[in-house]
Amino acid sequence: MWKYYALHSAMFAIATSILAKVGVKGIGGNLAMAVRTVVILVIAWGIVLFSGQTKEVKDISRTNLIFLVLSGIATGLSWIFYFKALETGDVPVCGHRRVLLPVLKVQPYKCPAAASGFQMVIRMA
């Protein structure tokens, strides 16, 4: 079942790149990130509310909270730099191979047509 979730995560990560690249055009990366964050916040808390998990808030331990806050900081910094890259450069939208690694075996093979001489072969793990 985890492969199903990982594959969908990778597909949505790729869609995120494409949509964000178009969405950041003409506005600042920080504003784009802020808008995206509000949308994610509404979706995440909507899921918690509709699934009845609000009563679990009291079960969050100090360790849970520390690591979730640290994870949130890392995520925020990642988004800041990601949107700055989208805003200021020609960032390819297909750079999510790392997201697929748990699900797929990625193997290089010699390909004269590729700019680097190598192309990636992707097979289900």
Side-chain angles (χ1 to χ4, degrees):
M1 191 67 168
W2 70 268
K3 288 181 182 182
Y4 171 83
Y5 293 129
L7 186 60
H8 279 78
S9 171
M11 289 187 318
F12 283 113
I14 292 166
T16 297
S17 294
I18 295 166
L19 297 170
K21 181 66 177 173
V22 174
V24 77
K25 206 167 271 190
I27 63 171
N30 293 331
L31 177 60
M33 183 193 61
V35 170
R36 177 181 160 182
T37 301
V38 169
V39 172
I40 293 167
L41 185 67
V42 169
I43 291 171
W45 279 105
I47 291 168
V48 169
L49 291 170
F50 288 116
S51 67
Q53 293 178 315
T54 52
K55 57 185 169 250
E56 294 177 26
V57 170
K58 66 180 178 354
D59 298 330
I60 297 174
S61 71
R62 183 168 188 208
T63 302
N64 293 138
L65 194 55
I66 288 169
F67 281 95
L68 289 172
V69 166
L70 291 172
S71 173
I73 291 168
T75 299
L77 290 171
S78 171
W79 290 358
I80 288 168
F81 288 108
Y82 178 70
F83 274 92
K84 270 300 177 201
L86 286 178
E87 176 188 4
T88 59
D90 186 23
V91 177
V93 295
C94 57
H96 286 284
R97 281 188 219 122
R98 66 178 168 74
V99 178
L100 288 167
L101 288 179
V103 183
L104 304 173
K105 291 181 182 176
V106 181
Q107 302 170 327
Y109 75 95
K110 189 77 170 150
C111 177
S116 66
F118 286 90
Q119 187 63 38
M120 302 306 275
V121 175
I122 301 175
R123 296 186 179 96
M124 289 300 286

